Amino acid sequence: MHDIPHGFSLFREDLDHVCQELAPSWSELRDARIFLTGGTGFFGMWLLESLIWANQAHRLGITITVLSRSPERFLSTRAPHLRDRDELRFVAGALTDFDMPAEPFTHIVHAASENNVDQRADWAQRQLNAGMDGTRRVIDLAVRSGTKSLLLTTSGAVYLPSDASDGQRYVEGPAGIVDYVSERSVYGLSKRIMEVMTAVAAQQHSFDALVARCFAFVGPYLSLEHNYVIGNFIRDALQGKQIIVEGDGTPLRSYLYAADLVVWLLTILARGRSGVPYNIGGTEAVSVSELARRVAAAAGLPADAVTIKGTPVPNARPSSYLPSTQRIETELGVRAAICLDDAIRKTLAWHRQRIGAA
């Protein structure tokens, strides 16, 4: 069984991995005062625990202020183990109209995002409002604070298929929007607008505008109920259910483990080039059908535990959602250190330990 240190919810080996991989960057973040949006979600939980662990290991003097609509609910239900942490503070409020904290921040990580889990008809408007108004509010905080660096997490959804230079992998170039009302296009366009707003403000007010275009991830705290294919597969495997692939299983995806995600995000925050977007995601392409089989195998389920409903079209080119990671690997020296099969096994083990402790 993997070891979870007292006061944390993530595996010690993952926290140590983040701490060790970021050794070249910790000096840049010493005594940082970080403001974090999206701090109560998947990205946020990993960032919080990793930074707190590094604080303990290296005495970095980092403080993190988290924006949350309800800090008390977060600490009571999702993260009671983070209560009374000296380096952790909260600002209560919504992204678009939170009260500006009095203290300045050296770094801001804007990782908040709307989702469309409930399929509400007003989602497109909410996404645009949150993207533009929320980013404007965060920029105002950066200007007021004299912030050194603002890291914005956007999405691979900013790309269209035509942006894949080799027909499969997306590179960090300009993109256009064809279907303005589709969920992906609205989401991608709002993220692109956020990038532009941040870059323009950075040029005017002399802070670093850092952009992380995030693709697909796996690890503890990833929701198993939302519309994440790998999360749904892991949920069904944990319950011993048949893993159902609704389509033909041919689309290609890649996944980065959350510990590597934290390493890449904080490396960008510490050493990234201002105004330059960096793709973040896995390097191993895997079809959805193969992903289902690998989840089943990792969970100890038989081969017939996977059902693929659709039939592939002969000679059809599969759709793909794959990043080119050449820029971040070359410029910042990061790598995907944890392979997909190990990532799946770790995620299954984490959930099983939580189920056992419930």
Short mmCIF file of all heavy atoms in Angstrom, two decimals, residues 167-208:
data_model
loop_
_atom_site.label_atom_id
_atom_site.label_comp_id
_atom_site.label_asym_id
_atom_site.label_seq_id
_atom_site.Cartn_x
_atom_site.Cartn_y
_atom_site.Cartn_z
N GLY A 167 -0.77 16.38 -38.59
CA GLY A 167 -2.05 15.72 -38.73
C GLY A 167 -2.59 15.18 -37.43
O GLY A 167 -3.75 14.79 -37.35
N GLN A 168 -1.75 15.15 -36.38
CA GLN A 168 -2.21 14.60 -35.10
C GLN A 168 -1.90 15.50 -33.91
O GLN A 168 -2.77 15.75 -33.10
CB GLN A 168 -1.60 13.22 -34.86
CG GLN A 168 -2.21 12.12 -35.71
CD GLN A 168 -1.73 10.74 -35.25
OE1 GLN A 168 -0.71 10.61 -34.60
NE2 GLN A 168 -2.50 9.72 -35.58
N ARG A 169 -0.68 15.98 -33.82
CA ARG A 169 -0.29 16.71 -32.62
C ARG A 169 -0.38 18.23 -32.82
O ARG A 169 0.06 18.76 -33.82
CB ARG A 169 1.13 16.32 -32.18
CG ARG A 169 1.20 14.87 -31.75
CD ARG A 169 2.50 14.52 -31.08
NE ARG A 169 2.50 13.12 -30.69
CZ ARG A 169 2.05 12.66 -29.52
NH1 ARG A 169 1.60 13.51 -28.63
NH2 ARG A 169 2.07 11.37 -29.25
N TYR A 170 -0.95 18.90 -31.82
CA TYR A 170 -1.15 20.34 -31.89
C TYR A 170 0.11 21.09 -31.46
O TYR A 170 0.73 20.75 -30.45
CB TYR A 170 -2.32 20.75 -31.00
CG TYR A 170 -3.64 20.19 -31.43
CD1 TYR A 170 -4.26 19.18 -30.70
CD2 TYR A 170 -4.27 20.66 -32.57
CE1 TYR A 170 -5.48 18.65 -31.10
CE2 TYR A 170 -5.49 20.14 -32.97
CZ TYR A 170 -6.08 19.14 -32.24
OH TYR A 170 -7.29 18.62 -32.64
N VAL A 171 0.45 22.10 -32.21
CA VAL A 171 1.60 22.94 -31.88
C VAL A 171 1.11 24.32 -31.50
O VAL A 171 0.00 24.72 -31.86
CB VAL A 171 2.59 23.02 -33.06
CG1 VAL A 171 3.19 21.66 -33.36
CG2 VAL A 171 1.92 23.58 -34.31
N GLU A 172 1.95 25.07 -30.79
CA GLU A 172 1.54 26.33 -30.22
C GLU A 172 1.56 27.45 -31.25
O GLU A 172 2.41 28.34 -31.22
CB GLU A 172 2.42 26.71 -29.02
CG GLU A 172 2.38 25.69 -27.89
CD GLU A 172 3.48 24.66 -27.97
OE1 GLU A 172 3.96 24.37 -29.10
OE2 GLU A 172 3.89 24.13 -26.92
N GLY A 173 0.64 27.42 -32.20
CA GLY A 173 0.53 28.46 -33.22
C GLY A 173 -0.83 29.11 -33.14
O GLY A 173 -1.67 28.74 -32.34
N PRO A 174 -1.11 30.11 -34.01
CA PRO A 174 -2.42 30.76 -34.00
C PRO A 174 -3.50 29.80 -34.47
O PRO A 174 -3.26 28.88 -35.23
CB PRO A 174 -2.25 31.92 -34.98
CG PRO A 174 -1.16 31.48 -35.89
CD PRO A 174 -0.23 30.66 -35.06
N ALA A 175 -4.72 30.01 -33.99
CA ALA A 175 -5.85 29.16 -34.37
C ALA A 175 -7.06 30.03 -34.68
O ALA A 175 -7.17 31.15 -34.20
CB ALA A 175 -6.20 28.17 -33.26
N GLY A 176 -7.98 29.50 -35.46
CA GLY A 176 -9.22 30.21 -35.75
C GLY A 176 -10.40 29.45 -35.18
O GLY A 176 -10.26 28.36 -34.66
N ILE A 177 -11.57 30.03 -35.27
CA ILE A 177 -12.78 29.39 -34.77
C ILE A 177 -13.78 29.28 -35.91
O ILE A 177 -14.08 30.25 -36.59
CB ILE A 177 -13.39 30.21 -33.61
CG1 ILE A 177 -12.44 30.22 -32.41
CG2 ILE A 177 -14.74 29.65 -33.19
CD1 ILE A 177 -12.19 28.85 -31.81
N VAL A 178 -14.29 28.09 -36.15
CA VAL A 178 -15.24 27.87 -37.23
C VAL A 178 -16.67 27.83 -36.70
O VAL A 178 -17.54 28.57 -37.16
CB VAL A 178 -14.91 26.55 -37.97
CG1 VAL A 178 -15.95 26.26 -39.03
CG2 VAL A 178 -13.51 26.63 -38.61
N ASP A 179 -16.91 26.98 -35.72
CA ASP A 179 -18.26 26.80 -35.20
C ASP A 179 -18.39 27.57 -33.88
O ASP A 179 -18.00 27.09 -32.84
CB ASP A 179 -18.54 25.32 -34.98
CG ASP A 179 -19.92 25.06 -34.43
OD1 ASP A 179 -20.70 26.02 -34.29
OD2 ASP A 179 -20.23 23.89 -34.15
N TYR A 180 -18.96 28.76 -33.94
CA TYR A 180 -18.94 29.65 -32.78
C TYR A 180 -19.82 29.19 -31.63
O TYR A 180 -19.65 29.66 -30.51
CB TYR A 180 -19.35 31.06 -33.20
CG TYR A 180 -18.29 31.78 -34.00
CD1 TYR A 180 -18.38 31.84 -35.38
CD2 TYR A 180 -17.21 32.38 -33.38
CE1 TYR A 180 -17.40 32.48 -36.13
CE2 TYR A 180 -16.23 33.03 -34.11
CZ TYR A 180 -16.33 33.08 -35.48
OH TYR A 180 -15.37 33.72 -36.22
N VAL A 181 -20.77 28.33 -31.87
CA VAL A 181 -21.71 27.98 -30.81
C VAL A 181 -21.47 26.60 -30.22
O VAL A 181 -22.14 26.22 -29.27
CB VAL A 181 -23.18 28.07 -31.31
CG1 VAL A 181 -23.51 29.49 -31.72
CG2 VAL A 181 -23.42 27.11 -32.46
N SER A 182 -20.54 25.81 -30.78
CA SER A 182 -20.29 24.50 -30.20
C SER A 182 -19.60 24.66 -28.86
O SER A 182 -18.92 25.66 -28.59
CB SER A 182 -19.41 23.66 -31.13
OG SER A 182 -18.08 24.13 -31.11
N GLU A 183 -19.77 23.66 -27.99
CA GLU A 183 -19.20 23.75 -26.65
C GLU A 183 -17.68 23.90 -26.71
O GLU A 183 -17.10 24.73 -26.03
CB GLU A 183 -19.57 22.51 -25.83
CG GLU A 183 -19.02 22.54 -24.41
CD GLU A 183 -19.53 21.40 -23.55
OE1 GLU A 183 -20.68 20.98 -23.76
OE2 GLU A 183 -18.78 20.93 -22.68
N ARG A 184 -17.03 23.09 -27.55
CA ARG A 184 -15.58 23.17 -27.62
C ARG A 184 -15.13 24.53 -28.11
O ARG A 184 -14.17 25.11 -27.60
CB ARG A 184 -15.02 22.07 -28.53
CG ARG A 184 -13.51 22.23 -28.72
CD ARG A 184 -12.86 21.09 -29.45
NE ARG A 184 -11.46 21.40 -29.69
CZ ARG A 184 -10.59 20.57 -30.22
NH1 ARG A 184 -10.95 19.36 -30.56
NH2 ARG A 184 -9.34 20.93 -30.43
N SER A 185 -15.81 25.09 -29.11
CA SER A 185 -15.38 26.35 -29.69
C SER A 185 -15.58 27.51 -28.71
O SER A 185 -14.72 28.37 -28.58
CB SER A 185 -16.13 26.64 -30.99
OG SER A 185 -15.73 25.73 -31.99
N VAL A 186 -16.73 27.53 -28.02
CA VAL A 186 -16.95 28.58 -27.03
C VAL A 186 -15.91 28.49 -25.93
O VAL A 186 -15.32 29.49 -25.51
CB VAL A 186 -18.38 28.49 -26.45
CG1 VAL A 186 -18.54 29.44 -25.26
CG2 VAL A 186 -19.40 28.84 -27.52
N TYR A 187 -15.67 27.27 -25.47
CA TYR A 187 -14.67 27.06 -24.42
C TYR A 187 -13.29 27.49 -24.90
O TYR A 187 -12.58 28.25 -24.22
CB TYR A 187 -14.68 25.59 -24.03
CG TYR A 187 -13.73 25.22 -22.91
CD1 TYR A 187 -14.02 25.54 -21.59
CD2 TYR A 187 -12.55 24.52 -23.17
CE1 TYR A 187 -13.17 25.19 -20.56
CE2 TYR A 187 -11.69 24.17 -22.15
CZ TYR A 187 -12.01 24.50 -20.85
OH TYR A 187 -11.15 24.16 -19.83
N GLY A 188 -12.92 27.03 -26.10
CA GLY A 188 -11.61 27.37 -26.64
C GLY A 188 -11.45 28.84 -26.91
O GLY A 188 -10.40 29.43 -26.63
N LEU A 189 -12.49 29.48 -27.46
CA LEU A 189 -12.41 30.90 -27.77
C LEU A 189 -12.28 31.73 -26.50
O LEU A 189 -11.50 32.68 -26.45
CB LEU A 189 -13.64 31.33 -28.56
CG LEU A 189 -13.70 32.82 -28.95
CD1 LEU A 189 -12.47 33.22 -29.76
CD2 LEU A 189 -14.98 33.12 -29.73
N SER A 190 -13.03 31.36 -25.46
CA SER A 190 -12.92 32.11 -24.22
C SER A 190 -11.53 31.98 -23.63
O SER A 190 -10.97 32.95 -23.09
CB SER A 190 -13.98 31.64 -23.21
OG SER A 190 -13.72 30.33 -22.76
N LYS A 191 -10.93 30.80 -23.75
CA LYS A 191 -9.57 30.61 -23.26
C LYS A 191 -8.57 31.44 -24.09
O LYS A 191 -7.63 32.03 -23.56
CB LYS A 191 -9.17 29.13 -23.32
CG LYS A 191 -9.98 28.23 -22.41
CD LYS A 191 -9.77 28.55 -20.95
CE LYS A 191 -10.43 27.52 -20.05
NZ LYS A 191 -10.29 27.86 -18.61
N ARG A 192 -8.79 31.50 -25.39
CA ARG A 192 -7.93 32.32 -26.25
C ARG A 192 -8.05 33.80 -25.86
O ARG A 192 -7.05 34.52 -25.80
CB ARG A 192 -8.32 32.12 -27.71
CG ARG A 192 -7.54 32.96 -28.69
CD ARG A 192 -6.15 32.44 -28.93
NE ARG A 192 -6.16 31.23 -29.72
CZ ARG A 192 -5.08 30.61 -30.16
NH1 ARG A 192 -3.89 31.09 -29.86
NH2 ARG A 192 -5.16 29.51 -30.87
N ILE A 193 -9.27 34.26 -25.60
CA ILE A 193 -9.47 35.64 -25.18
C ILE A 193 -8.74 35.92 -23.88
O ILE A 193 -8.11 36.97 -23.71
CB ILE A 193 -10.98 35.94 -25.04
CG1 ILE A 193 -11.67 35.90 -26.40
CG2 ILE A 193 -11.21 37.31 -24.37
CD1 ILE A 193 -13.18 35.95 -26.32
N MET A 194 -8.80 34.98 -22.95
CA MET A 194 -8.08 35.13 -21.68
C MET A 194 -6.59 35.28 -21.92
O MET A 194 -5.92 36.09 -21.25
CB MET A 194 -8.38 33.94 -20.78
CG MET A 194 -9.81 33.87 -20.27
SD MET A 194 -10.26 32.23 -19.62
CE MET A 194 -9.12 32.07 -18.24
N GLU A 195 -6.04 34.50 -22.85
CA GLU A 195 -4.62 34.62 -23.17
C GLU A 195 -4.28 36.00 -23.71
O GLU A 195 -3.29 36.63 -23.31
CB GLU A 195 -4.23 33.56 -24.19
CG GLU A 195 -4.30 32.12 -23.68
CD GLU A 195 -3.91 31.10 -24.73
OE1 GLU A 195 -3.50 31.50 -25.85
OE2 GLU A 195 -3.99 29.90 -24.44
N VAL A 196 -5.12 36.49 -24.63
CA VAL A 196 -4.88 37.80 -25.23
C VAL A 196 -4.98 38.90 -24.18
O VAL A 196 -4.13 39.80 -24.11
CB VAL A 196 -5.87 38.05 -26.39
CG1 VAL A 196 -5.75 39.48 -26.90
CG2 VAL A 196 -5.63 37.07 -27.53
N MET A 197 -6.02 38.84 -23.34
CA MET A 197 -6.19 39.85 -22.29
C MET A 197 -4.97 39.90 -21.36
O MET A 197 -4.48 40.98 -21.01
CB MET A 197 -7.43 39.54 -21.47
CG MET A 197 -8.75 39.72 -22.20
SD MET A 197 -10.16 39.10 -21.22
CE MET A 197 -10.08 40.20 -19.79
N THR A 198 -4.48 38.73 -20.99
CA THR A 198 -3.34 38.66 -20.07
C THR A 198 -2.07 39.19 -20.74
O THR A 198 -1.29 39.92 -20.12
CB THR A 198 -3.14 37.22 -19.59
OG1 THR A 198 -4.35 36.73 -19.00
CG2 THR A 198 -2.02 37.13 -18.57
N ALA A 199 -1.86 38.84 -22.00
CA ALA A 199 -0.66 39.29 -22.71
C ALA A 199 -0.66 40.81 -22.90
O ALA A 199 0.37 41.47 -22.71
CB ALA A 199 -0.57 38.60 -24.07
N VAL A 200 -1.81 41.37 -23.25
CA VAL A 200 -1.90 42.83 -23.43
C VAL A 200 -1.64 43.54 -22.12
O VAL A 200 -0.88 44.53 -22.06
CB VAL A 200 -3.29 43.20 -24.00
CG1 VAL A 200 -3.49 44.71 -23.95
CG2 VAL A 200 -3.44 42.70 -25.42
N ALA A 201 -2.24 43.06 -21.03
CA ALA A 201 -2.04 43.69 -19.73
C ALA A 201 -0.59 43.55 -19.27
O ALA A 201 -0.01 44.48 -18.69
CB ALA A 201 -2.97 43.05 -18.70
N ALA A 202 0.03 42.42 -19.54
CA ALA A 202 1.42 42.21 -19.14
C ALA A 202 2.35 43.18 -19.85
O ALA A 202 3.29 43.72 -19.26
CB ALA A 202 1.84 40.77 -19.44
N GLN A 203 2.08 43.40 -21.13
CA GLN A 203 2.90 44.35 -21.88
C GLN A 203 2.75 45.77 -21.33
O GLN A 203 3.73 46.51 -21.22
CB GLN A 203 2.50 44.31 -23.36
CG GLN A 203 3.38 45.19 -24.25
CD GLN A 203 2.96 45.10 -25.70
OE1 GLN A 203 1.77 45.22 -26.03
NE2 GLN A 203 3.92 44.89 -26.58
N GLN A 204 1.54 46.11 -20.93
CA GLN A 204 1.29 47.46 -20.44
C GLN A 204 1.82 47.67 -19.03
O GLN A 204 2.31 48.74 -18.69
CB GLN A 204 -0.21 47.74 -20.47
CG GLN A 204 -0.58 49.16 -20.02
CD GLN A 204 -2.08 49.41 -20.14
OE1 GLN A 204 -2.84 48.56 -20.59
NE2 GLN A 204 -2.50 50.59 -19.71
N HIS A 205 1.74 46.62 -18.19
CA HIS A 205 2.04 46.80 -16.77
C HIS A 205 3.31 46.06 -16.33
O HIS A 205 3.61 46.01 -15.15
CB HIS A 205 0.85 46.33 -15.94
CG HIS A 205 -0.40 47.13 -16.18
ND1 HIS A 205 -0.57 48.41 -15.71
CD2 HIS A 205 -1.52 46.81 -16.88
CE1 HIS A 205 -1.76 48.85 -16.08
NE2 HIS A 205 -2.36 47.92 -16.80
N SER A 206 4.03 45.47 -17.25
CA SER A 206 5.36 44.90 -17.00
C SER A 206 5.38 43.75 -16.01
O SER A 206 6.25 43.66 -15.15
CB SER A 206 6.32 46.01 -16.53
OG SER A 206 6.43 47.01 -17.51
N PHE A 207 4.40 42.84 -16.11
CA PHE A 207 4.55 41.56 -15.42
C PHE A 207 4.67 40.47 -16.48
O PHE A 207 4.40 40.69 -17.66
CB PHE A 207 3.38 41.29 -14.46
CG PHE A 207 2.02 41.20 -15.10
CD1 PHE A 207 1.57 40.04 -15.71
CD2 PHE A 207 1.15 42.28 -15.06
CE1 PHE A 207 0.31 39.95 -16.27
CE2 PHE A 207 -0.13 42.21 -15.61
CZ PHE A 207 -0.54 41.04 -16.23
N ASP A 208 5.14 39.30 -16.07
CA ASP A 208 5.29 38.18 -17.00
C ASP A 208 3.95 37.49 -17.22
O ASP A 208 3.28 37.10 -16.25
CB ASP A 208 6.30 37.16 -16.47
CG ASP A 208 7.72 37.69 -16.51
OD1 ASP A 208 7.99 38.62 -17.28
OD2 ASP A 208 8.57 37.15 -15.76
#
